[in-house]
Short mmCIF file of all heavy atoms in Angstrom, two decimals:
data_model
loop_
_atom_site.label_atom_id
_atom_site.label_comp_id
_atom_site.label_asym_id
_atom_site.label_seq_id
_atom_site.Cartn_x
_atom_site.Cartn_y
_atom_site.Cartn_z
N GLN C 815 79.16 101.32 77.81
CA GLN C 815 78.63 99.96 77.52
C GLN C 815 79.52 98.94 78.26
O GLN C 815 78.96 97.93 78.79
CB GLN C 815 78.65 99.67 76.02
CG GLN C 815 77.91 98.38 75.70
CD GLN C 815 76.51 98.35 76.06
OE1 GLN C 815 75.71 99.32 75.76
NE2 GLN C 815 75.96 97.39 76.84
N PHE C 816 80.83 99.09 78.39
CA PHE C 816 81.66 98.20 79.11
C PHE C 816 81.28 98.11 80.60
O PHE C 816 81.13 97.08 81.18
CB PHE C 816 83.11 98.65 79.11
CG PHE C 816 84.06 97.86 79.94
CD1 PHE C 816 84.64 96.67 79.45
CD2 PHE C 816 84.36 98.23 81.24
CE1 PHE C 816 85.56 95.96 80.28
CE2 PHE C 816 85.29 97.53 81.99
CZ PHE C 816 85.84 96.32 81.46
N PHE C 817 80.96 99.34 81.16
CA PHE C 817 80.51 99.29 82.68
C PHE C 817 79.18 98.68 82.76
O PHE C 817 78.84 97.97 83.67
CB PHE C 817 80.61 100.80 83.10
CG PHE C 817 81.90 101.26 83.29
CD1 PHE C 817 82.48 102.11 82.31
CD2 PHE C 817 82.67 101.00 84.40
CE1 PHE C 817 83.75 102.65 82.51
CE2 PHE C 817 83.88 101.44 84.56
CZ PHE C 817 84.53 102.34 83.65
N ALA C 818 78.28 98.92 81.78
CA ALA C 818 76.89 98.40 81.81
C ALA C 818 76.96 96.89 81.71
O ALA C 818 76.24 96.18 82.40
CB ALA C 818 76.09 99.01 80.64
N ASP C 819 77.79 96.39 80.90
CA ASP C 819 77.94 94.91 80.76
C ASP C 819 78.55 94.27 81.93
O ASP C 819 78.07 93.10 82.33
CB ASP C 819 78.88 94.61 79.48
CG ASP C 819 78.17 95.02 78.15
OD1 ASP C 819 76.97 95.19 78.17
OD2 ASP C 819 78.93 95.14 77.11
N HIS C 820 79.47 94.90 82.57
CA HIS C 820 80.22 94.26 83.69
C HIS C 820 79.63 94.68 85.04
O HIS C 820 79.74 93.86 86.06
CB HIS C 820 81.63 94.58 83.66
CG HIS C 820 82.45 93.90 82.50
ND1 HIS C 820 82.35 94.48 81.26
CD2 HIS C 820 83.21 92.82 82.41
CE1 HIS C 820 83.17 93.72 80.40
NE2 HIS C 820 83.72 92.69 81.21
N PHE C 821 78.99 95.83 85.22
CA PHE C 821 78.59 96.24 86.54
C PHE C 821 77.17 96.85 86.44
O PHE C 821 76.75 97.60 87.35
CB PHE C 821 79.55 97.38 87.03
CG PHE C 821 80.97 96.99 86.91
CD1 PHE C 821 81.85 97.59 85.91
CD2 PHE C 821 81.59 96.08 87.84
CE1 PHE C 821 83.15 97.21 85.81
CE2 PHE C 821 82.83 95.73 87.71
CZ PHE C 821 83.67 96.29 86.81
N GLY C 822 76.35 96.48 85.45
CA GLY C 822 75.06 97.03 85.32
C GLY C 822 74.14 96.77 86.46
O GLY C 822 73.16 97.56 86.67
N GLU C 823 74.23 95.72 87.19
CA GLU C 823 73.44 95.42 88.36
C GLU C 823 74.00 95.82 89.70
O GLU C 823 73.47 95.51 90.71
CB GLU C 823 73.16 93.93 88.38
CG GLU C 823 72.35 93.34 87.10
CD GLU C 823 71.13 94.11 86.95
OE1 GLU C 823 70.36 94.30 87.90
OE2 GLU C 823 70.73 94.48 85.72
N SER C 824 75.12 96.55 89.61
CA SER C 824 75.79 96.91 90.87
C SER C 824 75.17 98.16 91.50
O SER C 824 74.60 99.09 90.78
CB SER C 824 77.21 97.11 90.66
OG SER C 824 77.91 96.06 90.15
N MET C 825 75.06 98.19 92.81
CA MET C 825 74.61 99.39 93.43
C MET C 825 75.76 100.34 93.62
O MET C 825 76.86 99.92 94.11
CB MET C 825 74.01 99.00 94.88
CG MET C 825 72.74 98.23 94.85
SD MET C 825 71.38 99.20 94.02
CE MET C 825 71.17 100.49 95.28
N VAL C 826 75.62 101.59 93.29
CA VAL C 826 76.73 102.50 93.38
C VAL C 826 76.20 103.84 93.97
O VAL C 826 75.04 104.03 94.14
CB VAL C 826 77.28 102.86 91.91
CG1 VAL C 826 77.85 101.58 91.23
CG2 VAL C 826 76.17 103.48 91.09
N GLN C 827 77.29 104.63 94.42
CA GLN C 827 76.91 105.94 95.05
C GLN C 827 77.10 107.00 93.95
O GLN C 827 78.11 107.05 93.27
CB GLN C 827 77.91 106.08 96.23
CG GLN C 827 77.56 107.53 96.87
CD GLN C 827 78.48 107.60 98.16
OE1 GLN C 827 78.22 106.91 99.21
NE2 GLN C 827 79.46 108.48 98.19
N VAL C 828 76.10 107.83 93.86
CA VAL C 828 76.26 108.90 92.88
C VAL C 828 75.93 110.26 93.54
O VAL C 828 75.36 110.33 94.65
CB VAL C 828 75.22 108.72 91.70
CG1 VAL C 828 75.46 107.45 90.90
CG2 VAL C 828 73.73 108.74 92.26
N ALA C 829 76.28 111.31 92.93
CA ALA C 829 76.12 112.67 93.50
C ALA C 829 75.36 113.53 92.61
O ALA C 829 75.50 113.58 91.36
CB ALA C 829 77.52 113.24 93.74
N ASP C 830 74.34 114.21 93.18
CA ASP C 830 73.47 115.18 92.48
C ASP C 830 74.15 116.58 92.65
O ASP C 830 74.09 117.16 93.67
CB ASP C 830 72.10 115.12 93.08
CG ASP C 830 71.17 116.15 92.36
OD1 ASP C 830 71.70 116.84 91.51
OD2 ASP C 830 69.97 116.06 92.55
N CYS C 831 74.89 116.95 91.64
CA CYS C 831 75.74 118.08 91.78
C CYS C 831 74.97 119.35 91.92
O CYS C 831 75.48 120.49 92.23
CB CYS C 831 76.69 118.31 90.54
SG CYS C 831 77.78 116.85 90.26
N CYS C 832 73.63 119.42 91.62
CA CYS C 832 72.83 120.51 91.75
C CYS C 832 72.13 120.72 93.18
O CYS C 832 71.52 121.65 93.38
CB CYS C 832 71.66 120.48 90.83
SG CYS C 832 72.31 120.52 89.04
N LYS C 833 72.42 119.69 94.07
CA LYS C 833 71.86 119.78 95.46
C LYS C 833 72.92 119.54 96.45
O LYS C 833 73.84 118.88 96.24
CB LYS C 833 70.77 118.71 95.47
CG LYS C 833 69.54 118.83 94.68
CD LYS C 833 68.58 117.77 94.92
CE LYS C 833 67.36 117.87 93.93
NZ LYS C 833 66.38 116.78 94.20
N ARG C 834 72.79 120.31 97.56
CA ARG C 834 73.75 120.22 98.64
C ARG C 834 73.10 119.42 99.82
O ARG C 834 71.89 119.52 100.10
CB ARG C 834 74.23 121.58 99.11
CG ARG C 834 74.76 122.46 97.93
CD ARG C 834 76.08 123.11 98.34
NE ARG C 834 77.12 122.14 98.61
CZ ARG C 834 77.88 121.70 97.66
NH1 ARG C 834 77.57 121.96 96.43
NH2 ARG C 834 78.80 120.83 97.93
N GLU C 835 73.94 118.70 100.53
CA GLU C 835 73.51 118.12 101.76
C GLU C 835 74.61 118.32 102.81
O GLU C 835 75.72 117.73 102.68
CB GLU C 835 73.28 116.57 101.58
CG GLU C 835 72.65 115.83 102.72
CD GLU C 835 72.26 114.48 102.32
OE1 GLU C 835 73.08 113.68 102.12
OE2 GLU C 835 71.05 114.21 102.32
N PHE C 836 74.42 119.15 103.81
CA PHE C 836 75.36 119.55 104.71
C PHE C 836 76.48 120.25 104.09
O PHE C 836 76.26 121.22 103.30
CB PHE C 836 75.77 118.34 105.61
CG PHE C 836 74.71 117.60 106.38
CD1 PHE C 836 74.17 116.50 105.93
CD2 PHE C 836 74.21 118.29 107.44
CE1 PHE C 836 73.16 115.85 106.71
CE2 PHE C 836 73.11 117.76 108.16
CZ PHE C 836 72.57 116.52 107.80
N THR C 837 77.71 119.74 104.12
CA THR C 837 78.84 120.35 103.46
C THR C 837 79.24 119.81 102.14
O THR C 837 80.30 120.09 101.64
CB THR C 837 80.08 120.36 104.46
OG1 THR C 837 80.43 118.99 104.67
CG2 THR C 837 79.74 120.91 105.73
N ASP C 838 78.34 118.91 101.59
CA ASP C 838 78.78 118.20 100.36
C ASP C 838 77.67 118.07 99.40
O ASP C 838 76.55 118.54 99.76
CB ASP C 838 79.34 116.69 100.75
CG ASP C 838 80.41 116.32 99.69
OD1 ASP C 838 80.50 116.86 98.67
OD2 ASP C 838 81.15 115.37 100.11
N GLN C 839 77.93 117.44 98.25
CA GLN C 839 76.87 117.27 97.23
C GLN C 839 75.88 116.16 97.82
O GLN C 839 76.33 115.23 98.59
CB GLN C 839 77.43 116.83 96.00
CG GLN C 839 78.31 117.79 95.31
CD GLN C 839 79.27 117.22 94.24
OE1 GLN C 839 79.45 116.05 94.16
NE2 GLN C 839 79.75 118.19 93.41
N LYS C 840 74.69 116.23 97.49
CA LYS C 840 73.70 115.27 97.92
C LYS C 840 74.12 113.94 97.37
O LYS C 840 74.19 113.86 96.07
CB LYS C 840 72.33 115.66 97.56
CG LYS C 840 71.17 114.63 98.06
CD LYS C 840 69.77 115.17 97.67
CE LYS C 840 68.75 114.18 98.27
NZ LYS C 840 68.78 113.96 99.75
N GLU C 841 74.18 112.87 98.17
CA GLU C 841 74.56 111.59 97.64
C GLU C 841 73.44 110.56 97.62
O GLU C 841 72.49 110.60 98.50
CB GLU C 841 75.70 111.09 98.50
CG GLU C 841 76.99 111.83 98.44
CD GLU C 841 78.00 111.24 99.34
OE1 GLU C 841 77.74 110.30 100.09
OE2 GLU C 841 79.18 111.66 99.13
N LEU C 842 73.29 109.78 96.57
CA LEU C 842 72.26 108.78 96.43
C LEU C 842 72.82 107.49 96.06
O LEU C 842 74.06 107.29 95.70
CB LEU C 842 71.32 109.20 95.30
CG LEU C 842 70.77 110.57 95.24
CD1 LEU C 842 70.02 110.90 93.97
CD2 LEU C 842 69.66 110.67 96.39
N ARG C 843 72.10 106.33 96.38
CA ARG C 843 72.49 104.99 96.01
C ARG C 843 71.48 104.55 94.93
O ARG C 843 70.29 104.47 95.19
CB ARG C 843 72.63 104.20 97.23
CG ARG C 843 73.85 104.34 98.05
CD ARG C 843 74.03 103.38 99.17
NE ARG C 843 74.24 102.08 98.60
CZ ARG C 843 75.42 101.61 98.23
NH1 ARG C 843 76.60 102.39 98.19
NH2 ARG C 843 75.59 100.43 97.73
#
Side-chain angles (χ1 to χ4, degrees):
Q815 189 60 50
F816 174 87
F817 289 99
D819 292 342
H820 290 79
F821 310 106
E823 298 300 318
S824 301
M825 292 296 295
V826 297
Q827 182 172 289
V828 298
D830 183 348
C831 299
C832 297
K833 297 180 180 179
R834 305 225 67 80
E835 189 171 64
F836 300 107
T837 61
D838 210 341
Q839 298 163 340
K840 183 175 179 60
E841 295 180 350
L842 305 170
R843 288 186 62 81

